[in-house]
Amino acid sequence: FSSAAGVFGAAGQGNYAAANTFLDALAEHRHGLGLPALSLAWGLWDTAEGMGAGLGQGDRDRVQRGGVTALTADEGLALFDAAEGSSEALLVPMRLDLPGLRAQATSTGMLPPLLRSLVRVPAPTRRTAATAATTAPSGALVERLAALPEAEQEAVLLDLVCTHVAAVLGYPGPEAVDPARSFNEVGFDSLTAVELRNRLNAATGVRLPATLVFDYPTPTALAAFLRDEIAPSGAAAVTPLLAELDRLEASLTAVALPDDDGRSQITARLQELLAKWGDGRKAPEEEAAAAEVAEEIESATDDDLFDFIGKEFGIS
């Protein structure tokens, strides 16, 4: 009797997995010599004794979310009888939950390599250490946060964190998570910590450390950390905006000017963006100057405006 932990690996069970892998290898070795040998790498059994004796409901729920459900005693005995007629040296009698595997792949982007061909979810791109270190945050999430003030950004990220905490712990929803209670208090261990990290990796696109829940011990602290990583304030937030302006400038200089209707549409859009950017950001003396400029812009013809844009961006 061996264990599926040796075939698939199991977080927190490295020594147990290695011991069972030795049994599997010994069976293969004997089999190659023509000697009798059969290793059964069992999955979880639904019993209150043996290896399952110390598992609580939370542990069982976590195993099931990973795409594995427990074998009944009758199912296990039937698989044992079936294995006796096999010519293989190693078999893996276990019950797989394919919808659970699909959900795991969708939420975390991760599946054991041996199971990836069983569900119709694209396997995640393998990252090297260099590419992982420079992974950019999710574009959709960044855009959503950029449109919100800082307090609302943290509220969005707190809801995101609580949603995944609830999923990991088997709570009915994010409202059941107390954002002020520490992860340690609500039952997180090394396995659930890694599961939460993997989920947030996939949700944010940010490479997060395995020690995430220990470094930021409450959902509130973790949400604040994510906000700093995804939507930095102050000078750090200026850099991507300037890069966008550079791309706009490159676009304006790279294409021929449109017809009069197109020029009017672009002019109106630029004016609208400048007006929005200026709202609430000017000192009183700047307001007066801005009003004067606005009057000049309002009275300018399209040709005047595009002449100005051409001079600024070097368009002949």
Side-chain angles (χ1 to χ4, degrees):
F1 280 15
S2 179
S3 169
V7 177
F8 296 102
Q13 292 184 307
N15 53 350
Y16 177 68
N20 284 285
T21 300
F22 170 79
L23 290 180
D24 301 340
L26 177 60
E28 288 283 0
H29 175 68
R30 288 179 55 85
H31 196 261
L33 297 176
L35 300 173
L38 173 59
S39 183
L40 298 179
W42 290 103
L44 181 66
W45 282 50
D46 186 15
T47 65
E49 299 82 23
M51 294 296 296
L55 295 179
Q57 188 57 48
D59 299 312
R60 292 175 180 273
D61 290 342
R62 182 168 63 248
V63 171
Q64 186 163 352
R65 287 196 302 274
V68 177
T69 55
L71 294 166
T72 66
D74 288 342
E75 290 171 333
L77 292 174
L79 289 172
F80 178 80
D81 290 339
E84 288 188 309
S86 171
S87 60
E88 301 291 334
L90 170 63
L91 295 173
V92 186
M94 62 188 299
R95 176 186 285 278
L96 294 177
D97 173 21
L98 295 186
L101 289 175
R102 191 174 298 110
Q104 181 188 11
T106 300
S107 63
T108 68
M110 301 178 67
L111 272 183
L114 292 177
L115 300 180
R116 288 176 186 167
S117 63
L118 299 180
V119 295
R120 294 177 180 237
V121 176
T125 302
R126 185 176 181 180
R127 299 176 183 173
T128 64
T131 58
T134 58
T135 298
S138 165
L141 183 58
V142 170
E143 290 180 7
R144 181 184 179 193
L145 295 176
L148 300 173
E150 184 173 327
E152 292 184 31
Q153 290 176 354
E154 290 202 15
V156 168
L157 290 169
L158 181 59
D159 183 67
L160 176 71
V161 170
C162 289
T163 296
H164 287 286
V165 168
V168 169
L169 296 179
Y171 289 177
E175 65 282 351
V177 177
D178 183 347
R181 290 191 68 189
S182 72
F183 294 114
N184 183 55
E185 283 184 276
V186 297
F188 267 82
D189 55 23
S190 59
L191 297 181
T192 45
V194 169
E195 183 179 350
L196 178 62
R197 187 279 307 266
N198 291 344
R199 283 175 167 272
L200 291 175
N201 273 347
T204 65
V206 177
R207 185 185 180 219
L208 301 170
T211 56
L212 188 69
V213 303
F214 306 106
D215 298 335
Y216 306 95
T218 67
T220 299
L222 181 48
F225 164 72
L226 290 176
R227 199 204 68 80
D228 289 340
E229 290 292 303
I230 299 171
S233 58
V238 173
T239 301
L241 294 176
L242 292 176
E244 290 295 335
L245 290 176
D246 289 340
R247 281 192 284 273
L248 173 61
E249 179 179 354
S251 297
L252 288 170
T253 57
V255 299
L257 291 176
D259 57 25
D260 289 343
D261 288 341
R263 291 158 65 99
S264 298
Q265 291 175 9
I266 294 175
T267 300
R269 185 67 176 131
L270 289 171
Q271 291 173 341
E272 181 183 351
L273 289 175
L274 285 172
K276 287 182 178 179
W277 174 254
D279 286 347
R281 296 177 182 269
K282 302 183 185 69
E285 61 273 13
E286 293 176 315
E287 290 285 356
E292 182 179 349
V293 171
E295 288 180 8
E296 293 181 5
I297 291 175
E298 187 67 29
S299 61
T301 65
D302 289 348
D303 287 338
D304 291 336
L305 287 169
F306 275 93
D307 182 58
F308 170 75
I309 293 172
K311 289 177 181 177
E312 287 295 312
F313 294 147
I315 302 173
S316 58

